[in-house]
Amino acid sequence: MKEFVIESVVKPCYALPIETLQEIYGNGELLDLEILSKKKGCDQMTAKRAHSVIMALVSPVLRRMISWEQARCKANRRVIELQLEEVDSNVLEAFVDFVYTGSARIHNDVEELVAIGRLADRLDVTSLRETVIRESSKMLDVDTCVAFLNASRDSGLPELEELCFQFALDHYEEVSHSPWFASLHQDILEDLVDDDRLRVHKEEDIVLSILRWLEGCHQDHEAEKGETSCSNARAEEDGVSADSDNQGHGMNEEMELDCDRSRRQFSSKMISSIRWNLIHHQFVEDLMLKCASSESCSLLAQFVGDLSKFPNSYRSHRGGSGPGYDVIRRLRVTREMKHHAGAVAALAFHEGMIVSASHDGSIKLVNLTSGKMEGSLHFTPHPRESQRQLGAVYAMLQHGDVLVTAGQMKLGIAPLNVWNLLTRRHVKELEGHKDAVMCLTRNEVDLFSGSWDRTVRQWDLSSFSCKRVISSQHGPVLSICSLSRAIVAAGLESAWHLVLDEPRKEEEKEEEERKESLPLVFFSGSDPVTCVAVGSGPRATTGGSSWIFRPEERIFSGHKSGAIRVWCSETLTCVANLQCHDDAVSALTAYGSWLVTGSMDGSVRMWNFTQAFACNKGEGGSQLAAAVDKPERRESAKTIVIGSEVKSLHLIKTNACERGSRSADGYILCGCQDRAVRLISDGFARNEEA
């Protein structure tokens, strides 16, 4: 590999003129310190001469080591010897050169560069540490990403580790097609696949990348076995005893057994991280047939064979990392559309059309590109009946080509209605609620509706039959969101979490009486909850700089005071309490690692909760968050002035499996009190993606 030079932005500054110091060092004069290093797995020591005073000036760690060594030897030796374990001679030479000249020559690209950074962190040399991180960020690309990921893991450089990991999340498809992808460490690949921020066009691409990695590992393993066989054959020719050969063979068998155990664990963890509900069954069947008809490694066959056992639990599309700061800074209101006579309370998006619903009882379809209205949803009049009209619409939920609207009770019309967006016709009314329905959410199989009648109804998404009625003991249900096997609902003064019953066989239902799980209140206070949402985040039990974002790890609650509380979905403990707006928070939506908030103060704000909402490790278990705690005020990454009270937010998120344009992916729709729908975008036309 080519040599290159790294240079510090801050030049070394000592009492002596720098030119004189470099001349003394170059001539080998007055060198009273000898730093010994021994590379891991090597018994030979290498030495590098330097001045003890200079080394003590740049490194507090070396200063303590030198002082301790002087006291131990009582100045009997003219040259002080220090020993650094597991430091390569090239790394030590580059370190000493950097101390004297402010620059260092790197011989082996990525690995040596990160090793120098690791030594700088170990010796607490801040300038060299920052230089390594800066130069690494310049070198980081698709070709070097795998090498940086492997080298930076547990390197003592959390900033570099996070930088490389984030790059791999954002460019996973390109990195997975690079020729070095097979050399990626197993634990890093597992973390990437498990992270909700991983950006891919479709989930099938992740499965194919894992298969490529397995095939590459298999080829490397076969090459190593070939080299071992050749070395054994040469050893036999040289007259190595049979006992030593048998001993080596036994060690190889034991190593292969340990390798098989780790592979089985890898297969199990990887399979559980893939979102199988997003993958077509035909893809899995074709993959299994292809593997059965070809000669493949045992691990690859096991991985493909285990695909038939994948879990059926619902997991949403990967959130991705969201936009970068450069895109966030460009976001602004680029279009304003007024087609209603009342406040716009709910929004959806279907095949290039904005679907907006209002308190005036109308549902409009507006072309995203032109901003012109191209139709509406209304009841088909019956010859014997007068024209029927909806009451005020408060919530909408789109599922494929089906749209469910929720709103005010009106004489002869149920508050829940189902529409077909292709035919633009009314399908059916869902009867059951006794008062207005304020909110809707869904998981993979069920629809949930919350109402002023103090109930949450669970509906089957395929037949729209009511499966369950959940009574709320905490007042009307005004906001609701769903996790894979739970729902979170909020009323006037409390928010509660309910774990849904696991599906069971008919025989089990007959043998044992079904027990209803009770809602668990995780917030109750004087600051009413106005809206709730679910997003990805770091697991509460995980620490370190490169936290893995997992889906549904965070619950966000917006409050009347303008505060936002962040909750761990596993323990229901509050991990952040932030003052985000000057008036009530009226809408929330997650956008990758960002949270978008709308308020009655007439603004939409964006928050990067990778840093702002980092998990605080608490000692207690599940308990009510103290409502009297004063929220911490934070500055948002972006504030967009809307000029009217925000009633609803909708993030346009598309993927390769959906119909319609992906050029609008990431646009934000904002419904307002002044009857307008505002489009928030970066103002640039985006290329169509296949």
Side-chain angles (χ1 to χ4, degrees):
M1 296 183 181
K2 294 182 179 180
E3 293 185 346
F4 63 98
V5 176
I6 60 173
E7 294 187 0
S8 173
V9 175
V10 181
K11 295 296 181 183
C13 180
Y14 309 113
L16 293 175
I18 187 64
E19 295 81 6
T20 305
L21 181 62
Q22 292 175 358
E23 182 181 351
I24 293 174
Y25 172 67
N27 295 334
E29 301 173 17
L30 307 175
L31 300 176
D32 62 342
L33 177 64
E34 192 171 70
I35 305 175
L36 304 175
S37 64
K38 183 173 66 173
K39 192 176 181 181
K40 187 176 182 180
C42 179
D43 295 331
Q44 185 177 1
M45 303 289 292
T46 58
K48 185 69 177 175
R49 302 291 294 273
H51 298 92
S52 59
V53 174
I54 300 300
M55 291 296 147
L57 282 173
V58 298
S59 169
V61 176
L62 286 177
R63 178 182 176 182
R64 289 192 295 269
M65 293 175 67
I66 292 170
S67 299
W68 182 85
E69 188 66 22
Q70 285 178 330
R72 187 179 71 86
C73 299
K74 298 180 181 179
N76 292 330
R77 289 186 303 184
R78 299 184 63 181
V79 177
I80 303 170
E81 291 185 357
L82 297 181
Q83 184 172 328
L84 299 177
E85 298 288 343
E86 300 180 7
V87 177
D88 187 77
S89 58
N90 292 334
V91 173
L92 180 59
E93 182 178 357
F95 170 76
V96 176
D97 289 345
F98 184 87
V99 169
Y100 282 94
T101 66
S103 63
R105 189 171 299 277
I106 308 299
H107 303 281
N108 194 23
D109 280 5
V110 173
E111 290 80 5
E112 187 171 326
L113 179 61
V114 176
I116 293 173
R118 186 184 296 112
L119 179 61
D121 180 75
R122 178 178 168 184
L123 300 180
D124 198 12
V125 183
T126 305
S127 60
L128 178 55
R129 188 179 185 276
E130 292 175 350
T131 300
V132 168
I133 294 174
R134 186 184 71 252
E135 294 298 326
S136 298
S137 64
K138 294 178 182 178
M139 292 174 57
L140 183 60
D141 56 24
V142 172
D143 292 329
T144 61
C145 181
V146 171
F148 270 117
L149 282 170
N150 291 336
S152 63
R153 178 58 62 100
D154 300 325
S155 63
L157 305 173
E159 303 94 331
L160 179 59
E161 185 179 357
E162 183 68 25
L163 178 69
C164 300
F165 195 81
Q166 187 65 60
F167 182 90
L169 290 173
D170 293 339
H171 303 85
Y172 181 78
E173 293 189 28
E174 297 94 329
V175 172
S176 65
H177 281 90
S178 70
W180 298 275
F181 182 65
S183 63
L184 183 65
H185 292 173
Q186 174 179 317
D187 58 336
I188 300 177
L189 179 59
E190 290 174 347
D191 288 345
L192 285 171
V193 175
D194 196 28
D195 201 303
D196 188 56
R197 296 172 294 175
L198 186 66
R199 181 174 295 175
V200 289
H201 288 291
K202 51 186 177 180
E203 199 73 11
E204 287 87 342
D205 294 337
I206 298 178
V207 178
L208 295 175
S209 70
I210 295 172
L211 295 179
R212 286 194 299 273
W213 184 85
L214 292 173
E215 290 172 353
C217 291
H218 174 63
Q219 293 172 3
D220 293 343
H221 182 63
E222 291 297 323
E224 291 177 2
K225 287 176 66 177
E227 292 177 1
T228 304
S229 300
C230 292
S231 61
N232 290 339
R234 286 193 297 268
E236 289 179 2
E237 292 176 0
D238 294 338
V240 178
S241 64
D243 292 340
S244 62
D245 184 56
N246 291 335
Q247 184 179 1
H249 182 68
M251 292 177 62
N252 288 336
E253 287 184 348
E254 185 177 350
M255 291 177 63
E256 287 191 2
L257 285 174
D258 292 339
C259 189
D260 286 340
R261 293 192 196 101
S262 65
R263 285 168 174 174
R264 283 193 293 270
Q265 294 173 359
F266 160 79
S267 180
S268 174
K269 182 176 180 179
M270 192 60 62
I271 286 177
S272 63
S273 299
I274 297 173
R275 307 183 180 189
W276 296 105
N277 59 292
L278 305 178
I279 294 178
H280 296 293
H281 290 280
Q282 188 62 43
F283 173 84
V284 178
E285 294 174 2
D286 293 344
L287 198 61
M288 296 176 70
L289 289 174
K290 181 180 178 181
C291 182
S293 60
S294 62
E295 295 183 1
S296 56
C297 67
S298 58
L299 179 58
L300 178 58
Q302 179 191 345
F303 178 81
V304 176
D306 285 348
L307 299 189
S308 59
K309 307 173 185 177
F310 60 81
N312 292 319
S313 60
Y314 171 75
R315 298 181 76 182
S316 61
H317 291 282
R318 295 180 184 268
S321 300
Y325 278 98
D326 55 337
V327 176
I328 293 296
R329 285 193 291 267
R330 294 197 303 264
L331 288 179
R332 64 184 189 276
V333 177
T334 55
R335 182 175 294 131
E336 182 177 315
M337 298 157 279
K338 282 191 176 182
H339 301 288
H340 291 280
V344 180
L347 294 161
F349 183 77
H350 179 258
E351 295 191 11
M353 303 294 293
I354 300 171
V355 186
S356 59
S358 170
H359 288 172
D360 63 7
S362 64
I363 304 172
K364 307 289 186 180
L365 297 132
V366 180
N367 187 290
L368 175 66
T369 305
S370 65
K372 297 181 179 180
M373 191 178 74
E374 295 191 359
S376 62
L377 301 181
H378 51 79
F379 291 107
T380 303
H382 193 275
R384 297 182 180 179
E385 296 180 3
S386 59
Q387 178 73 36
R388 297 192 299 165
Q389 292 183 347
L390 285 172
V393 180
Y394 300 131
M396 284 195 306
L397 189 143
Q398 177 210 347
H399 174 57
D401 297 326
V402 174
L403 182 74
V404 181
T405 61
Q408 184 69 42
M409 290 282 291
K410 197 170 183 180
L411 184 63
I413 301 175
L416 276 177
N417 289 274
V418 182
W419 310 80
N420 187 309
L421 289 171
L422 292 180
T423 62
R424 301 183 183 179
R425 290 183 177 274
H426 183 260
V427 177
K428 65 185 302 185
E429 299 178 29
L430 305 184
E431 299 180 351
H433 282 293
K434 306 301 182 184
D435 207 336
V437 178
M438 305 301 297
C439 49
L440 296 170
T441 189
R442 73 174 181 93
N443 57 23
E444 187 182 25
V445 295
D446 293 321
L447 167 74
F448 300 89
S449 56
S451 170
W452 267 97
D453 64 9
R454 298 178 175 234
T455 65
V456 173
R457 286 184 173 260
Q458 183 176 352
W459 311 81
D460 185 273
L461 266 179
S462 57
S463 63
F464 291 104
S465 59
C466 186
K467 299 168 61 175
R468 181 182 179 186
V469 179
I470 304 167
S471 297
S472 170
Q473 305 298 323
H474 312 285
V477 181
L478 305 181
S479 182
I480 191 170
C481 61
S482 69
L483 291 79
S484 56
R485 295 305 308 168
I487 58 172
V488 175
L492 294 175
E493 295 184 359
S494 65
W496 48 271
H497 175 278
L498 176 66
V499 177
L500 302 175
D501 295 328
E502 294 290 338
R504 295 186 293 176
K505 297 179 181 179
E506 292 296 330
E507 304 85 50
E508 295 178 351
K509 293 180 181 179
E510 294 176 0
E511 291 176 3
E512 184 179 351
E513 183 179 357
R514 185 169 180 173
K515 296 181 180 180
E516 294 280 348
S517 56
L518 297 176
L520 176 62
V521 177
F522 61 89
F523 174 82
S524 180
S526 58
D527 190 9
V529 179
T530 53
C531 50
V532 289
V534 173
S536 60
R539 185 159 291 177
T541 56
T542 305
S545 60
S546 56
W547 279 333
I548 309 304
F549 270 54
R550 294 174 174 86
E552 303 179 354
E553 283 292 334
R554 290 288 179 267
I555 299 171
F556 303 99
S557 61
H559 296 262
K560 186 177 181 180
S561 65
I564 292 176
R565 287 179 171 86
V566 188
W567 311 81
C568 173
S569 63
E570 184 178 355
T571 62
L572 297 180
T573 53
C574 185
V575 297
N577 185 4
L578 309 176
Q579 186 66 43
C580 297
H581 288 275
D582 298 326
D583 206 338
V585 180
S586 53
L588 296 171
T589 184
Y591 188 1
S593 59
W594 299 83
L595 183 72
V596 186
T597 62
S599 171
M600 304 289 282
D601 63 10
S603 69
V604 171
R605 297 181 180 180
M606 299 193 70
W607 314 83
N608 190 322
F609 56 89
T610 301
Q611 297 115 0
F613 298 160
C615 176
N616 298 323
K617 295 182 179 179
E619 297 179 356
S622 178
Q623 57 184 6
L624 293 180
V628 296
D629 289 348
K630 187 176 180 180
E632 177 186 356
R633 182 167 289 277
R634 291 282 183 92
E635 291 295 327
S636 63
K638 178 69 176 182
T639 298
I640 302 169
V641 178
I642 301 299
S644 175
E645 296 179 3
V646 177
K647 302 295 290 185
S648 57
L649 289 172
H650 181 79
L651 174 66
I652 300 178
K653 290 194 289 186
T654 61
N655 60 78
C657 298
E658 294 178 344
R659 290 171 296 194
S661 170
R662 297 190 76 243
S663 60
D665 197 17
Y667 287 177
I668 302 170
L669 299 175
C670 178
C672 304
Q673 178 68 31
D674 64 356
R675 302 171 290 128
V677 175
R678 290 174 171 86
L679 175 65
I680 299 174
S681 68
D682 57 7
F684 289 87
R686 305 185 185 184
N687 296 328
E688 294 293 324
E689 300 182 41

